[in-house]
């Protein structure tokens, strides 16, 4: 992507420092300028800059990087493994008797060591309720995933690990809500433009995956109107499901961008989702977005190697419906115990009263699961254990705890993997301007209540309104979501004998149970593989 000369190939060695590096350091020109007086550079690559920066600063180099990366660096004494702040690039470790092995994907390690899928009950409970495994777990003994912003040090004495960056926790100011000012919007624009400009650096063709939502539209608008860069844009269309292609085409037309629509009916992997997702992820994950992303990359790779994405905007600028559901109910939570007693009195007449009891006065985990998965009450009542205390205790309202959990856990384990795996399968690199520490810090400087009290993503919508007419600003949120009903409507069965699983599977065409049914079938696929090893 950067410096195509063979001199920039990896592994790269300078003195006793050797590196193997996956990803991009977007601010490498700025870092290189700082190092030029002390180091001689023989390439134009960001890899050489990272290697020399580490030689100069050691682990403190991690604080200076703006990028997505997973790398292994040998300094002559220790092996250093590191992941980027938001978990954009994956890293897996396997602890063997003779040492530690690492890879960007689990499949190679699973095959090399003939690992068998042997999950715990906690693994199954987490996956059925969330659609992914909780941090570090993979379901394969000895194999772990490395969380975002980690620095792992491997030596003869063992392994040490530290978190070098923590996203600033949401803090709610006292007093009235401070409305978002014009200067706030200008600051967000400036840091987004800086982030975007860095992510536009490429020695190969670059485009934009345009979903039709606010985030990718804003990336397109800033590139075209502020940075004077005209990008080719791409959208996948699902005629039998959620289709944003028409709206995305309207955005591209308004900005004067060349737009391409890809037919989502052509992917044969939709006929067997569990097997396709197993192949893409290697560990349990139900996010089928990887398939249309891969399909889009396959269709677009003849004209681009790098694509921009709006990933991360929903988490940073409060875009998900669950945040607004919690905001609307915030007053009810203050009187949760009273309302719960009133609902209990009405139990014979309100069959869904337990849903409201959970949402009002359940644990934070149960409230979150209720918002994420409509059938979770049935699952919990039938014997699946809850995922435990999945929230770090916080003095903030539940809504802000949910947002922090989305950023630190859900995004790196559910939303980022399909983007990375789907694109990498086709040799296309996806870059995300929203996933920058500077953008996160700028957003957290704004009163978080103001970012949700005046409408979904009102901050980014106000900025986008500078470049777009009103009729293009308020589409229904959809994204690159593949219609799973296409798979669940087939005449297929579940091999597990668990009666609860079988009952959920029988209800798979009920919208409320469809997501859980797909997770059960994915889990079934992994268990069947383990039985055949």
């Amino acid at each position: 992507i950067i410096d195509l000369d063979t001199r920039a190939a990896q592994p790269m060695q300078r003195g006793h420092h050797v590196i193997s590096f996956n990803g991009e350091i977007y601010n490498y020109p700025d870092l290189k300028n700082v190092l030029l007086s002390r180091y001689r550079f023989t390439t134009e690559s960001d890899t050489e800059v990272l290697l020399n920066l580490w030689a100069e600063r050691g682990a403190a180099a991690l604080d200076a990087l703006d990028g997505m990366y997973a790398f292994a660096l040998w300094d002559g004494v220790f092996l250093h493994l590191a992941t980027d702040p938001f978990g954009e690039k994956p890293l897996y470790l396997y602890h063997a008797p003779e040492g530690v092995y690492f890879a960007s994907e689990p499949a190679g390690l699973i095959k090399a060591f003939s690992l068998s899928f042997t999950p715990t009950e906690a693994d199954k409970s987490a996956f059925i309720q969330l659609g992914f495994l909780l941090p570090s777990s993979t379901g394969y003994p000895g194999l772990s995933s490395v969380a975002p912003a980690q620095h792992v040090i491997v030596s003869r004495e063992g392994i040490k690990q530290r978190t070098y960056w923590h996203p600033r926790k949401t803090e709610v100011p006292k007093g009235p809500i401070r409305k978002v000012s014009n200067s706030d919007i200008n600051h967000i624009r400036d840091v987004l433009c800086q982030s975007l400009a860095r992510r536009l650096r490429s020695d190969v063709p670059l485009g934009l995956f345009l979903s039709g939502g606010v985030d990718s539209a804003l990336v397109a608008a800033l590139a075209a109107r502020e940075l004077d860069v005209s990008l080719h844009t791409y959208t996948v269309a699902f005629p039998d499901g959620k289709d944003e292609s028409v709206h995305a085409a309207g955005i591209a037309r308004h900005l004067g961008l060349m737009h391409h629509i890809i037919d989502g009916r052509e992917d044969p992997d939709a006929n067997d989702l569990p097997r396709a997702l197993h192949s893409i992820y290697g560990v349990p994950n139900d996010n089928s977005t990887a398939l249309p992303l891969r399909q889009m990359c396959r269709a677009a790779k003849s004209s681009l190697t790098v694509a921009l994405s709006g990933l991360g905007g929903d988490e940073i600028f409060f875009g998900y419906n669950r945040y607004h559901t919690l905001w609307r109910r915030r007053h009810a939570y203050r009187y949760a115990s009273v309302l719960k007693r009133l609902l209990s009195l009405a139990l014979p007449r309100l069959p869904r009263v337990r849903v409201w009891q959970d949402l009002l006065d359940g644990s934070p985990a149960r409230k979150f699961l209720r918002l994420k998965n409509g059938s979770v009450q049935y699952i919990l009542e039938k014997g699946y254990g809850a995922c435990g205390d999945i929230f770090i205790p916080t003095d903030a309202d539940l809504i802000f705890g949910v947002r922090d959990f989305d950023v630190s856990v859900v995004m790196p384990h559910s939303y980022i993997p399909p983007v990375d795996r789907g694109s990498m399968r086709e040799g296309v690199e996806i870059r995300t301007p929203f996933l920058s520490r500077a953008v996160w810090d700028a957003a957290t400087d704004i009163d978080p209540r103001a970012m949700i009290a005046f409408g979904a993503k009102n901050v980014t919508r106000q900025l986008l309104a500078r470049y777009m007419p009103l009729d293009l600003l308020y589409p229904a949120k959809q994204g690159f979501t593949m219609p799973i009903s296409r798979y669940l409507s087939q005449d297929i069965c579940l091999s597990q004998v668990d009666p609860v699983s079988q009952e959920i599977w029988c209800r798979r065409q009920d919208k409320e149970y469809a997501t859980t049914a797909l997770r059960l079938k994915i889990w079934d696929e992994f268990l069947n593989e383990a039985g055949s090893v």
Side-chain angles (χ1 to χ4, degrees):
I1 306 296
I2 301 294
D3 191 347
L4 309 183
D5 194 287
T6 54
R7 291 178 303 174
Q10 298 179 37
M12 181 180 285
Q13 181 170 2
R14 296 293 182 271
H16 54 267
H17 287 82
V18 187
I19 192 170
S20 180
F21 166 42
N22 176 33
E24 301 287 348
I25 305 301
Y26 300 122
N27 62 335
Y28 77 96
D30 305 321
L31 297 172
K32 185 175 182 177
N33 287 335
V34 174
L35 297 170
L36 276 173
S37 62
R38 294 180 296 282
Y39 293 89
R40 177 177 174 271
F41 288 85
T42 60
T43 75
E44 298 301 319
S45 71
D46 56 341
T47 307
E48 187 176 22
V49 173
L50 175 56
L51 194 54
N52 286 332
L53 186 70
W54 194 279
E56 172 88 2
R57 304 183 186 180
L62 294 169
D63 297 325
L65 303 180
D66 177 15
M68 58 175 183
Y69 49 83
F71 65 81
L73 189 150
W74 172 253
D75 67 4
V77 179
F78 301 107
L79 173 67
H80 301 272
L81 303 167
T83 53
D84 63 70
F86 295 96
E88 292 184 74
K89 286 300 176 184
L91 181 62
Y92 289 86
L93 299 182
Y94 177 65
H95 297 255
E98 69 275 19
V100 174
Y101 294 79
F102 56 91
S104 291
E105 296 192 28
L109 296 171
I110 292 169
K111 183 177 180 180
F113 295 97
S114 299
L115 303 182
S116 179
F117 186 64
T118 313
T120 64
E121 283 300 312
D123 288 333
K124 181 177 181 180
S125 177
F127 181 71
I128 298 305
Q129 294 172 66
L130 294 171
F132 57 90
L133 299 182
L134 290 175
S136 80
S137 182
T138 64
Y140 293 89
L143 179 66
S144 61
S145 63
V146 181
Q150 296 301 298
H151 174 208
V152 181
I153 305 171
V154 184
S155 68
R156 295 184 185 277
E157 285 69 42
I159 298 176
K160 295 181 180 179
Q161 187 166 335
R162 71 180 181 96
T163 302
Y164 65 83
W165 180 73
H166 294 275
R168 189 191 308 169
K169 292 297 180 184
T170 306
E171 296 181 2
V172 182
K174 297 184 184 299
I177 298 174
R178 184 181 70 82
K179 289 188 177 182
V180 180
S181 67
N182 197 51
S183 62
D184 290 330
I185 302 297
N186 289 340
H187 185 46
I188 295 295
R189 178 203 60 201
D190 292 344
V191 294
L192 272 174
C193 281
Q194 180 190 57
S195 177
L196 176 56
R198 287 175 172 176
R199 285 153 180 79
L200 285 169
R201 290 170 178 150
S202 174
D203 294 336
V204 294
L206 182 148
L208 168 67
F209 288 159
L210 187 62
S211 71
V214 171
D215 303 322
S216 58
L218 182 56
V219 172
L222 291 175
R225 297 291 188 258
E226 297 290 347
L227 302 178
D228 197 25
V229 176
S230 182
L231 299 168
H232 280 241
T233 60
Y234 302 80
T235 301
V236 64
F238 293 109
D240 58 341
K242 298 176 179 178
D243 186 358
E244 292 186 314
S245 60
V246 175
H247 187 79
I251 292 171
R253 188 165 50 250
H254 175 77
L255 294 171
L257 306 176
M258 183 66 71
H259 189 62
H260 310 267
I261 297 177
I262 299 162
D263 190 343
R265 292 174 296 190
E266 300 173 355
D267 194 345
D269 286 331
N271 296 323
D272 193 347
L273 270 177
R275 183 166 296 178
L277 296 177
H278 186 173
S279 173
I280 285 176
Y281 296 119
V283 296
N285 192 313
D286 78 333
N287 198 324
S288 59
T289 305
L291 299 185
L293 250 299
R294 186 178 67 179
Q295 190 177 354
M296 191 155 49
C297 290
R298 185 183 301 148
K301 67 184 297 182
S302 61
S303 55
L304 60 78
T305 306
V306 175
L308 298 168
S309 163
L311 178 67
D314 281 309
E315 289 79 8
I316 294 176
F317 293 103
F318 291 88
Y320 292 121
N321 289 334
R322 56 182 171 270
Y323 304 148
H324 298 275
T325 299
L326 288 167
W327 178 260
R328 288 193 301 270
R329 294 173 179 162
R330 67 191 185 282
H331 298 304
Y333 291 133
R334 294 178 184 175
Y335 308 101
S337 58
V338 175
L339 289 171
K340 185 178 179 181
R341 285 197 296 272
L342 291 174
L343 287 170
S344 298
L345 294 174
L347 182 61
R349 297 185 298 278
L350 295 174
R352 295 179 64 83
V353 70
R354 292 176 189 172
V355 175
W356 286 97
Q357 286 178 321
D358 267 352
L359 287 172
L360 286 171
D361 203 27
S363 68
R366 289 177 80 94
K367 290 176 184 176
F368 177 78
L369 293 169
R370 263 291 175 205
L371 292 167
K372 287 281 289 180
N373 184 356
S375 60
V376 74
Q377 179 66 40
Y378 175 87
I379 294 171
L380 294 173
E381 288 178 351
K382 294 296 182 179
Y384 282 98
C387 294
D389 189 6
I390 57 178
F391 293 107
I392 299 173
T394 175
D395 293 332
D397 293 338
L398 176 63
I399 176 177
F400 303 117
V402 170
R403 188 271 204 123
D404 291 341
F405 179 74
D406 280 343
V407 170
S408 60
V409 178
V410 180
M411 187 167 65
H413 292 87
S414 181
Y415 299 155
I416 288 176
V419 175
D420 178 73
R421 311 306 192 276
S423 60
M424 288 289 96
R425 282 290 185 275
E426 300 299 327
V428 173
E429 178 177 278
I430 293 185
R431 298 177 176 180
T432 53
F434 285 98
L435 296 184
S436 153
R437 282 192 267 187
V439 173
W440 174 263
D441 289 342
T444 53
D445 283 339
I446 298 172
D447 186 336
R449 300 167 298 176
M451 289 205 282
I452 194 169
F454 305 107
K457 285 195 287 193
N458 70 85
V459 173
T460 43
R461 286 189 193 277
Q462 287 183 61
L463 178 55
L464 187 57
R466 298 179 179 182
Y467 315 104
M468 295 277 189
L470 284 176
D471 62 318
L472 292 176
L473 285 177
Y474 293 94
K477 181 173 177 55
Q478 295 181 44
F480 296 123
T481 305
M482 197 174 81
I484 63 173
S485 57
R486 187 190 306 173
Y487 170 74
L488 294 176
S489 63
Q490 299 176 34
D491 186 17
I492 46 182
C493 64
L494 193 70
S495 65
Q496 295 185 58
V497 296
D498 173 9
V500 177
S501 299
Q502 290 288 0
E503 185 174 348
I504 292 173
W505 182 249
C506 289
R507 300 188 189 187
R508 65 186 183 275
Q509 295 191 49
D510 181 333
K511 183 179 179 180
E512 190 172 73
Y513 287 83
T515 298
T516 303
L518 177 62
R519 291 170 183 171
L520 287 168
K521 191 60 180 173
I522 294 169
W523 195 258
D524 201 44
E525 173 75 19
F526 276 86
L527 292 178
N528 287 337
E529 179 212 39
S532 65
V533 172

